[in-house]
Short mmCIF file of all heavy atoms in Angstrom, two decimals:
data_model
loop_
_atom_site.label_atom_id
_atom_site.label_comp_id
_atom_site.label_asym_id
_atom_site.label_seq_id
_atom_site.Cartn_x
_atom_site.Cartn_y
_atom_site.Cartn_z
N THR H 1 78.18 79.48 94.80
CA THR H 1 78.18 79.82 93.38
C THR H 1 77.53 78.76 92.51
O THR H 1 77.42 78.93 91.30
CB THR H 1 79.62 80.04 92.86
OG1 THR H 1 80.39 78.85 93.11
CG2 THR H 1 80.27 81.23 93.55
N GLY H 2 77.12 77.62 93.09
CA GLY H 2 76.53 76.55 92.29
C GLY H 2 75.15 76.90 91.78
O GLY H 2 74.53 77.88 92.21
N SER H 3 74.64 76.08 90.87
CA SER H 3 73.28 76.29 90.37
C SER H 3 72.24 75.81 91.38
O SER H 3 71.13 76.34 91.44
CB SER H 3 73.09 75.56 89.04
OG SER H 3 73.38 74.17 89.19
N LEU H 4 72.62 74.80 92.17
CA LEU H 4 71.76 74.24 93.21
C LEU H 4 72.61 73.90 94.42
O LEU H 4 73.83 73.74 94.32
CB LEU H 4 71.04 72.98 92.70
CG LEU H 4 70.00 73.17 91.59
CD1 LEU H 4 69.66 71.82 90.97
CD2 LEU H 4 68.74 73.85 92.13
N VAL H 5 71.96 73.77 95.56
CA VAL H 5 72.63 73.31 96.77
C VAL H 5 72.64 71.79 96.75
O VAL H 5 71.58 71.16 96.68
CB VAL H 5 71.90 73.82 98.03
CG1 VAL H 5 72.54 73.25 99.29
CG2 VAL H 5 71.88 75.34 98.06
N ARG H 6 73.81 71.21 96.81
CA ARG H 6 73.93 69.75 96.77
C ARG H 6 74.63 69.23 98.01
O ARG H 6 75.73 69.69 98.36
CB ARG H 6 74.70 69.31 95.52
CG ARG H 6 73.94 69.54 94.22
CD ARG H 6 74.75 69.12 93.00
NE ARG H 6 73.93 69.13 91.79
CZ ARG H 6 73.70 70.22 91.05
NH1 ARG H 6 74.23 71.38 91.41
NH2 ARG H 6 72.94 70.16 89.96
N LEU H 7 73.99 68.28 98.68
CA LEU H 7 74.54 67.63 99.86
C LEU H 7 74.61 66.12 99.60
O LEU H 7 73.76 65.58 98.90
CB LEU H 7 73.67 67.90 101.09
CG LEU H 7 73.57 69.36 101.55
CD1 LEU H 7 72.59 69.47 102.70
CD2 LEU H 7 74.94 69.89 101.96
N PRO H 8 75.60 65.45 100.18
CA PRO H 8 75.70 63.99 99.97
C PRO H 8 74.44 63.27 100.41
O PRO H 8 73.79 63.64 101.39
CB PRO H 8 76.89 63.61 100.86
CG PRO H 8 77.70 64.86 100.99
CD PRO H 8 76.70 65.98 100.99
N GLY H 9 74.09 62.23 99.66
CA GLY H 9 72.94 61.40 99.98
C GLY H 9 73.37 59.98 100.28
O GLY H 9 74.54 59.73 100.57
N PRO H 10 72.46 59.02 100.18
CA PRO H 10 72.79 57.62 100.48
C PRO H 10 73.78 57.00 99.50
O PRO H 10 74.42 56.01 99.81
CB PRO H 10 71.43 56.91 100.43
CG PRO H 10 70.55 57.82 99.62
CD PRO H 10 71.02 59.20 99.91
N SER H 11 73.90 57.59 98.30
CA SER H 11 74.89 57.13 97.33
C SER H 11 75.33 58.32 96.50
O SER H 11 74.70 59.39 96.53
CB SER H 11 74.31 56.05 96.42
OG SER H 11 73.39 56.61 95.49
N ILE H 12 76.41 58.14 95.72
CA ILE H 12 76.95 59.24 94.94
C ILE H 12 75.98 59.71 93.87
O ILE H 12 76.02 60.85 93.40
CB ILE H 12 78.31 58.84 94.32
CG1 ILE H 12 79.06 60.09 93.83
CG2 ILE H 12 78.12 57.83 93.20
CD1 ILE H 12 80.50 59.82 93.44
N THR H 13 75.08 58.82 93.46
CA THR H 13 74.10 59.17 92.43
C THR H 13 72.78 59.67 93.02
O THR H 13 71.85 59.96 92.29
CB THR H 13 73.81 57.96 91.52
OG1 THR H 13 73.30 56.88 92.32
CG2 THR H 13 75.07 57.52 90.80
N GLN H 14 72.71 59.76 94.35
CA GLN H 14 71.48 60.20 95.02
C GLN H 14 71.76 61.34 96.00
O GLN H 14 71.55 61.20 97.21
CB GLN H 14 70.84 59.03 95.77
CG GLN H 14 70.37 57.89 94.89
CD GLN H 14 69.87 56.72 95.73
OE1 GLN H 14 70.65 56.01 96.36
NE2 GLN H 14 68.55 56.55 95.75
N PRO H 15 72.24 62.48 95.50
CA PRO H 15 72.48 63.60 96.42
C PRO H 15 71.17 64.21 96.88
O PRO H 15 70.11 64.01 96.27
CB PRO H 15 73.26 64.59 95.54
CG PRO H 15 72.76 64.32 94.15
CD PRO H 15 72.54 62.83 94.10
N ASN H 16 71.24 64.94 97.96
CA ASN H 16 70.11 65.75 98.41
C ASN H 16 70.27 67.12 97.77
O ASN H 16 71.29 67.79 97.96
CB ASN H 16 70.11 65.87 99.93
CG ASN H 16 69.83 64.54 100.61
OD1 ASN H 16 68.69 64.08 100.64
ND2 ASN H 16 70.87 63.91 101.15
N VAL H 17 69.29 67.54 97.00
CA VAL H 17 69.38 68.78 96.21
C VAL H 17 68.32 69.77 96.65
O VAL H 17 67.14 69.42 96.82
CB VAL H 17 69.22 68.46 94.70
CG1 VAL H 17 69.32 69.75 93.88
CG2 VAL H 17 70.28 67.47 94.25
N TYR H 18 68.74 71.01 96.83
CA TYR H 18 67.84 72.08 97.26
C TYR H 18 68.09 73.33 96.43
O TYR H 18 69.14 73.49 95.82
CB TYR H 18 68.07 72.41 98.74
CG TYR H 18 67.95 71.23 99.67
CD1 TYR H 18 69.10 70.53 100.07
CD2 TYR H 18 66.72 70.82 100.16
CE1 TYR H 18 69.01 69.44 100.93
CE2 TYR H 18 66.62 69.73 101.03
CZ TYR H 18 67.76 69.05 101.40
OH TYR H 18 67.67 67.97 102.25
N GLN H 19 67.13 74.24 96.44
CA GLN H 19 67.28 75.52 95.76
C GLN H 19 67.85 76.56 96.71
O GLN H 19 67.51 76.58 97.90
CB GLN H 19 65.94 75.99 95.21
CG GLN H 19 65.41 75.18 94.03
CD GLN H 19 64.15 75.79 93.45
OE1 GLN H 19 63.12 75.88 94.11
NE2 GLN H 19 64.23 76.22 92.20
N PHE H 20 68.72 77.40 96.19
CA PHE H 20 69.21 78.53 96.95
C PHE H 20 68.07 79.48 97.30
O PHE H 20 67.09 79.61 96.55
CB PHE H 20 70.26 79.32 96.15
CG PHE H 20 71.63 78.70 96.14
CD1 PHE H 20 72.06 77.97 95.04
CD2 PHE H 20 72.50 78.86 97.21
CE1 PHE H 20 73.33 77.41 95.01
CE2 PHE H 20 73.78 78.30 97.19
CZ PHE H 20 74.19 77.57 96.08
N ASN H 21 68.20 80.15 98.43
CA ASN H 21 67.31 81.23 98.85
C ASN H 21 65.89 80.79 99.16
O ASN H 21 65.04 81.62 99.49
CB ASN H 21 67.24 82.35 97.79
CG ASN H 21 68.60 82.84 97.34
OD1 ASN H 21 69.46 83.12 98.16
ND2 ASN H 21 68.80 82.92 96.02
N LYS H 22 65.60 79.47 99.08
CA LYS H 22 64.22 79.02 99.26
C LYS H 22 64.04 77.99 100.37
O LYS H 22 62.93 77.82 100.86
CB LYS H 22 63.67 78.44 97.95
CG LYS H 22 63.50 79.48 96.86
CD LYS H 22 62.81 78.91 95.62
CE LYS H 22 62.58 79.98 94.57
NZ LYS H 22 61.91 79.45 93.36
N VAL H 23 65.11 77.28 100.74
CA VAL H 23 65.02 76.25 101.77
C VAL H 23 65.99 76.61 102.89
O VAL H 23 67.17 76.83 102.65
CB VAL H 23 65.35 74.86 101.20
CG1 VAL H 23 65.13 73.79 102.28
CG2 VAL H 23 64.50 74.56 99.97
N SER H 24 65.51 76.63 104.11
CA SER H 24 66.35 77.01 105.25
C SER H 24 67.23 75.86 105.70
O SER H 24 66.95 74.68 105.42
CB SER H 24 65.47 77.46 106.43
OG SER H 24 64.78 76.34 106.97
#
């Protein structure tokens, strides 16, 4: 339900962000 797909990154301020329906 989020606006973007967010996964943890190297720090709390550097998440890995992806778009729904576009990245496998």
Side-chain angles (χ1 to χ4, degrees):
T1 57
S3 57
L4 293 166
V5 176
R6 291 179 170 84
L7 296 176
S11 73
I12 195 169
T13 59
Q14 296 174 288
N16 293 284
V17 180
Y18 304 95
Q19 289 186 297
F20 281 101
N21 309 312
K22 293 186 177 180
V23 185
S24 70

